[in-house]
Amino acid sequence: MTVATAPADPPVARADASRGRRAWAAHLLVASTALLLALWVTGGLWASPTTRTIAANPGDQAFFEGLLGYGVHLLRHGGDPFFTDLLNAPLGVNLAANTSITAYILLFAPLTMLAGPQVSYVTILTLNLACSAFAWYLFLHRHLVRHRAAAALGGLFCGFAPGLVSHANGHLNWTAGWIAPLLLWRVLTLREPGRWLRNGAILGAVVALCFSIAAEGLFFTALASGVFIGAWAAAPATRAQARAAAPTVLAALGVTAAVAGALLAYPLYMHFAGPQTFSGTGFDQREFSEDAAAYLAYPSRSVAGWAGLDRADLASNPTEQASFFGLPLIVLAGFATVTLWRHADAGRRATLRALLIVGAVFTVLSWGPRLRVLDDETHLPLPYATLARLPLFDSALPTRYALVVAGVLGILLALAAEWVLSTAGPRSRAAWAAAFTFALLPLLPLPVLTAERAPEPRFIADGTWREYVPDGGVLSALPFATNPGPDAQRWQAYTLARGGPVFRIPGGYFLGPGGPDGKGQIGTPLLPTDVLLQQAAHYGYLPPITDAEREQARRDFAYWNLQAVFLADRVIGSQGLLFHTTLEQTTTALLGPPERVDDVLVWRIRPGVDPVTPGG
């Protein structure tokens, strides 16, 4: 009797515990794989964070390292997270209108202070890639597929898609691909009955967080969500569900708007109406549009690229290879769509239809204002020619819409793998496994390329600069900071990260006003003396220095309130060593002989006085 009536709870508990352990083991396996892949992609930087830099995009890395240093400055001394006068003296830079990664610079400030912005940079870059893959895996397993292997396949593809690997060439905002599954997860919870207030408030906080890391990615995800929900709700099979959920979802969205609006009121004001803001972007949208043929090509940092099968010439630069999925993957996605459609019920077909509409819309958006095929722009206008005049669209680069297409492909891969694992027979499974291998193996990522960066001068590292410029004074390395030559911005970043006295610099690499037709541009408009020094550094041009150039230099130095400049023993730009001798000769012709201090040459500048005309 006792045996017959023995409770079944213990074996059920053991089964639940066993399932829980298996689930955690699967999660750990996927997370470890994602982290190892991320370390593989960023390994060139981890080998020596202080002496290596992203080869294809050193300017963006210097910009983000500057922001990380600024995070330490904010915590130690206070200030405005969305505006700084440390760059672009005397005007400053609107950080809200740039990719300011505010949440990251504050969260990682302790690491930046301890190890430097170089280490914080590569840490964030690595975690971005790993967390993107893991977040997609969790989202797919929670909402779309039962098999963890299918979710892992889709998640790892989304986290290491060609677009994200190419954006690992410098971008801490665009590699934060984890924001998309996080936002989608919170959007899907909005339909839960009775929780509209809670879910709306949480989504509002998530929106504010994502805005502070990747505002453009937030815009793309919100746009994709709107397209998907609209297409899904319009399907006959799901129309009744959509109508039933609409009141709850709309109420939750109202709370989301209120919470996000309150949290983002000041950043949005600064972005659209603050000092040194601008409209549009500093980049040509027609140039930064995806070539239609790029969807069938392979990326440069992949196994296929290593084998010489890439078409990097179809991208505007190595950072913008946003599609580059390869012909086999596109064919596989087509077969997967047909197979899933044939075996799906009406509800799943509504989901597939909405997913395909999102993919089609964002593919066309990625092509930009005019269709381009094999690097030849046609005369065929596309929808973006009209959309580019609208707010938000005017500030986005069309090529990056292809990152949403990568998410669509990742979801299709997960759904197809789920069908294969649960429905297909042994022969069919073998054929599908071969197809997955043939499509995905060439896309396995390679490490991003790195290059040497100039060592930090002892003049900066030891704080000797404080003998020449007071705290908050204006000092610059030569040449002044630009995208091709970011050393001056880097060395300011290292100083900021130490949390002590700081100096401001003229110029810098950022987006600001001053472009054609009132649009934004990269950096600040160059003054004549700036042009003189840039030509000497980057082209080895030794100009004649007359009293006219000295008079102009006096005016320019006074405008910047520049108190000293210095020249390090080694000056490295994006294309390698700069012309040190020519730069020294040009500066000496302007300001006279330099003073040797530590490992740099220093020229003091008395605003409004120097340079002094020889014999004057």
Side-chain angles (χ1 to χ4, degrees), residues 551-571:
E551 176 57 31
Q552 181 64 56
R554 274 193 291 273
R555 290 194 295 267
D556 294 345
F557 292 159
Y559 170 77
W560 292 315
N561 196 26
L562 190 61
Q563 294 160 287
V565 294
F566 67 93
L567 179 60
D569 288 340
R570 299 191 72 204
V571 185

Side-chain angles (χ1 to χ4, degrees), residues 3 12 55 71 96 153 196 241 353 423 440 443 448 462 469 487 490 508 552 559 577 580 599:
V3 174
V12 171
L153 177 68
W196 59 272
Q241 295 180 55
R353 181 186 295 110
T423 305
L440 297 178
L443 295 175
V448 295
D462 296 345
V469 178
D487 280 349
R490 284 195 183 113
Q552 181 64 56
Y559 170 77
L577 288 172
H580 184 282
D599 51 350

Side-chain angles (χ1 to χ4, degrees), residues 412-505:
L412 282 175
L413 288 172
L415 293 174
E418 169 86 353
W419 179 85
V420 171
L421 291 170
S422 59
T423 305
R427 290 186 178 180
S428 181
R429 286 188 184 185
W432 277 96
F436 278 118
T437 302
F438 186 67
L440 297 178
L441 183 60
L443 295 175
L444 286 177
L446 298 181
V448 295
L449 297 176
T450 62
E452 180 188 8
R453 72 163 78 188
E456 181 184 13
R458 296 196 311 276
F459 178 73
I460 295 295
D462 296 345
T464 311
W465 65 268
R466 292 195 291 266
E467 300 175 13
Y468 296 83
V469 178
D471 186 15
V474 183
L475 168 74
S476 182
L478 294 174
F480 299 151
T482 59
N483 183 27
D487 280 349
Q489 199 159 342
R490 284 195 183 113
W491 296 333
Q492 184 195 53
Y494 306 161
T495 303
L496 288 168
R498 296 184 178 105
V502 298
F503 56 86
R504 295 181 293 143
I505 63 173

Side-chain angles (χ1 to χ4, degrees), residues 219 223 285 365 384 387-398 401:
F219 169 56
L223 184 61
Q285 290 185 324
L365 290 178
Y384 212 87
L387 292 174
R389 300 184 179 93
L390 301 178
L392 301 182
F393 288 95
D394 66 343
S395 299
L397 295 184
Y401 288 96

Side-chain angles (χ1 to χ4, degrees), residues 15 18 21 46 68 72 75 120 128 149 164 205 212 236 262 321 379 443 466 490 503 520 532 577-578 583 595:
S18 177
R21 286 193 295 270
W46 280 113
L68 290 165
V72 175
L75 292 184
S120 286
N128 267 349
L164 256 70
S212 72
Q321 296 177 14
H379 296 291
L443 295 175
R466 292 195 291 266
R490 284 195 183 113
F503 56 86
L532 199 74
L577 288 172
L578 300 185
L583 187 55
E595 177 183 359

